[in-house]
Amino acid sequence: VTGAVKMALAVGLIVSIFIPEIEVYAAYGLAAMMAAAVGFHIKVQDSLKKTYPAATFLVLSVLATVLPSTEY
């Protein structure tokens, strides 16, 4: 289920190239999922090497919500 939701949100970000209105929702959704992932990695005391990918996507998702999108 988690993988399907993650894929749907990623597809939402790609589709937001053509429909900019959904960008914020997809980015917030991914940010929430990645924040949970980082939290779970910390909870189970994973190494930084295992936590880094989720933390990277968390930062990128937050940037996608904060930075203004280019609308033509």
Side-chain angles (χ1 to χ4, degrees):
V1 172
T2 304
V5 172
K6 197 183 309 182
M7 285 293 291
L9 292 168
V11 168
L13 278 178
I14 294 169
V15 171
S16 73
I17 294 170
F18 306 105
I19 307 169
E21 295 83 15
I22 66 171
E23 177 184 15
V24 174
Y25 302 112
Y28 275 134
L30 272 175
M33 286 195 67
M34 292 301 107
V38 169
F40 286 127
H41 280 288
I42 292 170
K43 181 179 179 181
V44 298
Q45 299 177 346
D46 272 343
S47 66
L48 184 61
K49 183 179 180 181
K50 290 185 178 181
T51 308
Y52 183 75
T56 301
F57 280 106
L58 172 61
V59 170
L60 290 174
S61 298
V62 169
L63 285 175
T65 62
V66 175
L67 296 177
S69 62
T70 308
E71 296 183 31
Y72 295 100

